[in-house]
Amino acid sequence: MDPCGRSQRRPHRLPQELTEPAPSFGATGIEREPGRDGRGRPQRPRWGSFYQPGGFDPAAFAAEPSGTSAITASSAAATLVQQIRGIGGGEPCVVVAHSMGGVVATAAAELEPSLFDHLVYVSAFAPVLGAAAEYSAGPENQGETYSSLLAADPLAVGAARFDTGNRSLHTAIRETFYGDVDEATADAAISLLTPDGPIGIPAEAFAVTADRFGTIPHSYVVCTKDNAIPVALQRRFVNEIDAVSTTPTTVTELDSSHSPFLSQPAALATIIAGTC
């Protein structure tokens, strides 16, 4: 039996890239050879043409269409279902969703509830009654600082775009996402961010039903110092999850920013382990 009391299965072999040692972090981010990622593999391009050999072009940055514009909540959920099925060997898994990843996990849980043993939201969007973008316009979202970081019109470029390479913005980015994370770790995290978040995920409304999503046990970790998703909005998500669920959501509060996995990893791990 495993620690959760379930029959123990043969361990599933993870892809090699997930079992290799993680790269080391320094005060300025991941140490890497030019042209290669933190594990020495050829670096995959993740920037647009606004990064040219001659330097950064702010005007192009604010105008270039995003390569992520075709991604939707449904397409991302289908990918997540495939990944869960592969990692768990077809058996149900505990799935942890953070931030906008909660939209994808919610859609995936509705799509294939049999693969979810428990769904843990960590300061995440859980849009049960409409598109996530509609919640962003609601009164519970007042006080968020996320939108002030936008470097382009999302509707024009097809993405929520941030200039993470502009060090003058790092203080504002830290306050939004990493308020209680030490500066060196926060800078390392910022260095791993890509500039575009696909707006097709929050823009899509999808059905969430009691017969599918509602049968899955849920937990929600409320982060009380979160400047990206205000506490009032997190609690609204909990109330709406409960309205379509068989059992009430287990709620735990952490006195943390938007990223407790960096500031309070042990406390968060204990919460997740407790869902077994």
Side-chain angles (χ1 to χ4, degrees), residues 25-191:
F25 288 83
T28 57
I30 281 187
E31 299 173 2
R32 57 174 56 135
E33 179 184 347
R36 295 186 175 273
D37 68 12
R39 296 187 175 96
R41 299 169 299 192
Q43 181 72 54
R44 294 186 179 95
R46 55 178 185 161
W47 314 108
S49 62
F50 39 78
Y51 282 98
Q52 297 289 347
F56 176 70
D57 184 344
F61 184 74
E64 181 174 308
S66 174
T68 69
S69 59
I71 299 173
T72 65
S74 293
S75 67
T79 299
L80 178 58
V81 165
Q82 291 178 345
Q83 292 171 335
I84 295 171
R85 184 175 284 116
I87 291 171
E91 296 292 327
C93 296
V94 173
V95 177
V96 182
H98 173 250
S99 195
M100 196 59 70
V103 179
V104 180
T106 302
E110 176 70 20
L111 181 64
E112 197 57 71
S114 65
L115 293 177
F116 287 73
D117 183 69
H118 199 105
L119 176 51
V120 183
Y121 292 99
V122 180
S123 191
F125 275 80
V128 171
L129 299 179
E134 297 173 10
Y135 290 84
S136 297
E140 297 88 353
N141 202 39
Q142 293 297 313
E144 58 81 24
T145 58
Y146 173 89
S147 58
S148 66
L149 300 174
L150 292 172
D153 179 354
L155 296 179
V157 300
R161 179 169 292 169
F162 304 99
D163 185 1
T164 57
N166 185 345
R167 291 199 63 85
S168 69
L169 297 177
H170 280 200
T171 296
I173 295 173
R174 282 199 303 271
E175 290 176 353
T176 298
F177 301 118
Y178 313 110
D180 60 343
V181 179
D182 68 87
E183 185 172 348
T185 302
D187 281 347
I190 292 170
S191 76

